[in-house]
Amino acid sequence: MAAPTLVMFGSEDLRTDADMREWRSTLAHGRLLLFPQAGHFPWAEDPGSFFPAAEEFLNGGWPPGAE
């Protein structure tokens, strides 16, 4: 997929960091944003960080920390 893609995960998700980075690496214009102290539901576990990051991305930018 050539479209910019933001992969957002909680760092405490059951998936490993290697899994998340591999998934991101398959996307030509993908970046990964991890939410510390959040698990599988970062939008519920850290809404104060998740929603501003999503809004930044949907408005055409990359949120701070997206690698």
Side-chain angles (χ1 to χ4, degrees):
M1 178 171 19
T5 306
L6 180 61
V7 178
M8 301 194 305
F9 279 106
S11 64
E12 303 299 316
D13 195 307
L14 296 177
R15 293 173 179 89
T16 66
D17 284 354
D19 292 337
M20 294 178 217
R21 291 177 198 293
E22 181 180 351
W23 191 32
R24 187 244 8 233
S25 73
T26 65
L27 303 164
H29 299 286
R31 293 190 187 182
L32 173 65
L33 181 60
L34 292 174
F35 295 91
Q37 309 297 317
H40 192 67
F41 303 105
W43 59 90
E45 297 170 52
D46 189 2
S49 298
F50 181 89
F51 289 106
E55 184 174 6
E56 174 75 24
F57 176 71
L58 292 173
N59 284 327
W62 293 107
E67 56 182 70

